């Protein structure tokens, strides 16, 4: 058992080295021993393109967090409530990192759910569309980033969103 810290979100985890960050969902390769961790989200200037990409990320993760909170609130089973709550937590962590990179302020309305799409199946199908969009979008941000830190950040987010697509596919099969 050891303390590890995520290079993407900066959160600390105690236990066996997980396959994914329990806070932001980043793959295990982004987790490092606490003793060697350094905050990579500070101390660099952003180009106008990088700022615009981070603003887009902030907005997308903000909306996704609110959607998943609403989907969790309206879910028909405890399993689906937990599933959407998990996705809301992950998306909220992505939002927090984008805010930190932009040196901005958090919007307190992120805690208010948005409008869900209806049934659990419809929410899963909409989730899959949202995650496919996010994963592809973050892939396009990688080559447009001059800063290596942002390339790593967008790569990690794209991977996490791709993981969510797989989870959505599994849950859609379970419902059908």
């Amino acid at each position: 058992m050891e303390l590890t810290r995520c290079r993407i979100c900066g959160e600390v985890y105690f236990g066996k080295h997980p396959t994914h960050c329990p806070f932001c969902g980043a793959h295990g390769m982004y987790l490092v021993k606490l003793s060697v961790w350094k905050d990579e989200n500070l101390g660099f200037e952003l180009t106008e393109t990088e700022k615009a990409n981070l603003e887009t990320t902030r907005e997308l993760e903000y909306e996704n967090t609110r959607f998943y909170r609403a989907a969790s609130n309206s879910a028909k089973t405890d399993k689906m409530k937990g599933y959407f709550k998990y996705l809301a937590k992950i998306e909220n962590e992505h939002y927090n990192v984008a805010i930190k990179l932009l040196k901005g302020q958090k919007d307190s309305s992120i805690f208010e759910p948005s409008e869900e799409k209806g049934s659990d199946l419809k929410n899963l199908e909409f989730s899959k569309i949202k995650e496919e969009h996010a994963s592809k979008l973050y892939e396009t941000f990688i080559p447009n980033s001059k800063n290596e830190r942002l390339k790593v950040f967008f790569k990690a987010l794209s991977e996490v969103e791709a993981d969510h697509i797989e989870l959505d596919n599994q849950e859609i099969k379970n419902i059908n």
Side-chain angles (χ1 to χ4, degrees):
M1 300 265 256
E2 64 182 342
L3 285 169
T4 57
R5 197 155 184 183
C6 180
R7 289 183 54 216
I8 304 304
C9 69
E11 294 293 337
V12 178
Y13 173 77
F14 176 71
K16 293 181 180 176
H17 195 85
T19 60
H20 293 79
C21 174
F23 304 98
C24 74
H27 292 183
M29 68 183 173
Y30 298 105
L31 299 171
V32 297
K33 290 183 180 183
L34 183 62
S35 61
V36 298
W37 181 85
K38 65 179 182 165
D39 194 346
E40 299 174 69
N41 293 328
L42 301 172
F44 56 87
E45 295 299 315
L46 299 170
T47 67
E48 289 304 313
T49 299
E50 290 169 338
K51 282 181 194 173
N53 289 345
L54 282 169
E55 280 295 334
T56 299
T57 301
R58 181 193 61 78
E59 291 169 18
L60 188 141
E61 299 297 338
Y62 171 87
E63 289 303 322
N64 287 354
T65 300
R66 294 182 66 228
F67 164 73
Y68 287 125
R69 285 197 169 120
S72 177
N73 289 344
S74 70
K76 306 301 181 250
T77 66
D78 286 341
K79 177 186 175 190
M80 291 312 299
K81 284 181 190 297
Y83 179 78
F84 289 123
K85 183 178 180 181
Y86 163 77
L87 292 175
K89 181 176 167 273
I90 298 292
E91 303 298 335
N92 185 58
E93 200 62 44
H94 297 172
Y95 168 81
N96 289 335
V97 177
I99 290 290
K100 186 174 186 178
L101 289 165
L102 287 164
K103 300 175 186 143
Q105 298 291 319
K106 294 179 186 175
D107 186 336
S108 62
S109 67
I110 196 167
F111 298 108
E112 299 167 10
S114 67
E115 198 173 315
E116 85 288 340
K117 299 300 174 198
S119 70
D120 289 344
L121 180 59
K122 284 188 180 180
N123 285 333
L124 282 167
E125 289 168 343
F126 190 59
S127 171
K128 184 177 170 186
I129 291 167
K130 290 171 103 32
E131 300 297 349
E132 287 170 344
H133 169 72
S135 183
K136 288 175 186 169
L137 183 66
Y138 296 145
E139 280 292 321
T140 69
F141 289 171
I142 295 168
N144 294 326
S145 299
K146 292 188 185 282
N147 188 292
E148 274 307 309
R149 172 59 186 153
L150 293 181
K151 289 179 182 186
V152 170
F153 173 66
F154 289 127
K155 183 177 186 304
L157 261 58
S158 180
E159 293 167 350
V160 172
E161 307 303 358
D163 291 344
H164 293 171
I165 295 164
E166 286 183 39
L167 289 172
D168 286 343
N169 284 333
Q170 288 173 3
E171 292 306 317
I172 289 168
K173 280 183 190 175
N174 289 339
I175 288 179
N176 287 330

